[in-house]
Amino acid sequence: MKALVLSGGAGTRLRPITHTSAKQLVPVANKAVLFYGLESIAAAGITEVGMIVGDTAAEIQEAVGDGSKFGLEITYIPQERPLGLAHAVLIARDFLGDDDFVMYLGDNFIVGGISDLVDEFRGNRPDAQILLTQVPDPRSFGVAELGPDGQVIGLEEKPEHPRSDLALVGVYLFTPLIHEAVRAIEPSWRGELEITHAIQHLIDNRRDVRSTVINGYWKDTGNVEDMLEVNRRVLETLDRRIDGEVDERSETIGRVVLEEGARISNSRVVGPVVIGSGTVVSDSYVGPFTSVAENCRITDSELEFSIVLRDSSICGVGRIEASLIGRHVEVTPAPSVPSAHRLVLGDHSKVQIHS
């Protein structure tokens, strides 16, 4: 069994971060979202991985390499522009051959991995198996409609009027029959080859399409709010580890991970928090659910429920929360500007001004 990992999306919902960085490499608890997926694939016993890459191919390849650090063998498959998930399957035909495969969206995060799902698929080997989860607003997702006995009877892509609240999670398992389906469909109104249409083709031809409704944690980390929520969830699983330096005037409370080479001076850090190597926190407060990457400077500031990427500095700005701060960013106080009131008053006016 092989894996096809999609890492070519533009990440428009995470701009401006993704103007200069691949969305799959934005870190959660100081580790790229993509890496969690690759680790899940390796844990499921899959070693051959085809990775779809686009405009950020060079950055993805530099971060992932040949896959050996994950126990994988990576083959990079270029996609000129995002033309749909089914298009990714289409261009990966030579790599996939006649093997079964799992397709994994590189910006998805699933707590607990996919090992059980892969084992279930290997044991039963339906023609396709999809993962579903209940969401409050399914209009932004592929949506599945199930029959009375739980079989998949219909799929829609981002419907205006969803027939259920069951959204497709970004993990799919296929036999080689999917290749016939992706060749049979036409582009949607979005101009993309939709994987939901390809799976619907299998359903229409009476193929065995099964679903698993998951109750565990899943997120499509496509926007800032979801990134922060996934970061919170991962940080809650950390064990306390202090490999850096903490001076006698500082206090670290709870699940704090301080990497080697990091330093805390005259500060209070309340976990769960992870602070990367080379980062210095001084005269500051760092609160729960915060990840600070390597080589950052936090000085005379308060930071909570946020993600700070590498080589950035926050100095003297009071409190920051629920924020995603990119690489090589400088956050400083605005210069002091004299306050003044400009008035045009008619005769006999009475004005009260708070100075």
Side-chain angles (χ1 to χ4, degrees):
M1 193 169 184
K2 294 177 180 175
L4 184 65
V5 177
L6 276 60
S7 301
T12 55
R13 292 178 293 160
L14 273 174
R15 287 177 180 168
I17 297 292
T18 50
H19 279 309
T20 53
S21 177
K23 66 176 180 177
Q24 298 85 4
L25 296 181
V26 176
V28 168
N30 285 3
K31 182 166 67 176
V33 171
L34 175 62
F35 291 2
Y36 291 97
L38 294 177
E39 289 169 355
S40 293
I41 288 167
I46 299 170
T47 57
E48 295 182 72
V49 176
M51 187 168 293
I52 303 293
V53 290
D55 292 341
T56 59
E59 188 181 7
I60 295 286
Q61 290 183 38
E62 181 180 1
V64 177
D66 63 2
S68 57
K69 63 184 176 183
F70 303 99
L72 303 172
E73 300 173 10
I74 304 288
T75 299
Y76 292 98
I77 304 168
Q79 186 181 36
E80 291 185 6
R81 56 193 178 97
L83 292 173
L85 304 187
H87 181 261
V89 176
L90 194 66
I91 64 174
R93 182 68 176 91
D94 289 344
F95 166 78
L96 295 169
D98 292 325
D99 292 310
D100 296 347
F101 67 97
V102 56
M103 183 167 74
Y104 197 114
L105 275 57
D107 59 352
N108 275 228
F109 185 90
I110 301 175
V111 169
I114 61 171
S115 296
D116 291 344
L117 178 70
V118 170
D119 289 343
E120 180 184 349
F121 180 81
R122 282 171 165 152
N124 299 320
R125 203 168 180 266
D127 298 311
Q129 186 163 344
I130 59 177
L131 238 61
L132 304 174
T133 191
Q134 289 183 303
V135 295
D137 184 3
R139 290 176 297 175
S140 299
F141 303 93
V143 177
E145 182 181 6
L146 304 184
D149 60 352
Q151 81 275 22
V152 184
I153 61 175
L155 297 172
E156 296 179 285
E157 185 65 33
K158 297 180 174 62
E160 184 65 30
H161 303 288
R163 297 176 185 172
S164 81
D165 62 353
L166 293 172
L168 275 76
V169 174
V171 177
Y172 310 79
L173 296 109
F174 297 116
T175 66
L177 281 174
I178 193 64
H179 298 299
E180 175 188 338
V182 298
R183 290 195 301 269
I185 61 174
E186 298 292 332
S188 67
W189 61 270
R190 301 193 304 164
E192 298 185 1
L193 290 175
E194 311 284 4
I195 197 64
T196 48
H197 292 177
I199 299 171
Q200 185 65 51
H201 179 83
L202 295 177
I203 295 169
D204 293 342
N205 285 273
R206 300 183 181 279
R207 298 297 187 178
D208 185 8
V209 178
R210 303 185 189 181
S211 67
T212 300
V213 179
I214 63 171
N215 298 316
Y217 186 80
W218 162 79
K219 277 289 184 183
D220 168 8
T221 59
N223 59 47
V224 173
E225 291 77 13
D226 287 341
M227 286 294 303
L228 292 173
E229 176 60 21
V230 171
N231 190 62
R232 181 192 69 80
R233 185 67 180 241
V234 175
L235 288 176
E236 286 181 331
T237 69
L238 296 180
D239 294 323
R240 179 179 172 89
R241 176 167 54 85
I242 305 294
D243 293 333
E245 299 178 20
V246 181
D247 74 3
E248 67 280 358
R249 297 171 298 164
S250 298
E251 184 180 24
T252 61
I253 300 172
R255 293 190 299 276
V256 174
V257 173
L258 187 67
E259 300 289 355
E260 186 176 354
R263 190 156 42 92
I264 298 175
S265 171
N266 194 34
S267 298
R268 188 168 189 258
V269 178
V270 180
V273 164
V274 59
I275 297 174
S277 62
T279 288
V280 176
V281 178
S282 58
D283 305 305
S284 297
Y285 166 77
V286 179
F289 311 121
T290 300
S291 297
V292 183
E294 64 271 20
N295 300 320
C296 293
R297 297 291 181 271
I298 312 295
T299 305
D300 192 24
S301 300
E302 295 185 5
L303 183 65
E304 188 167 300
F305 190 50
S306 295
I307 299 172
V308 182
L309 276 58
R310 62 180 172 82
D311 301 304
S312 292
S313 64
I314 299 171
C315 180
V317 293
R319 187 172 181 84
I320 293 175
E321 62 182 25
S323 299
L324 175 57
I325 296 172
R327 299 174 297 180
H328 301 280
V329 170
E330 295 182 8
V331 183
T332 57
S336 176
V337 177
S339 60
H341 303 284
R342 184 180 179 187
L343 307 174
V344 178
L345 302 175
D347 297 346
H348 310 292
S349 297
K350 292 183 179 180
V351 179
Q352 292 180 329
I353 295 176
H354 290 286
S355 56

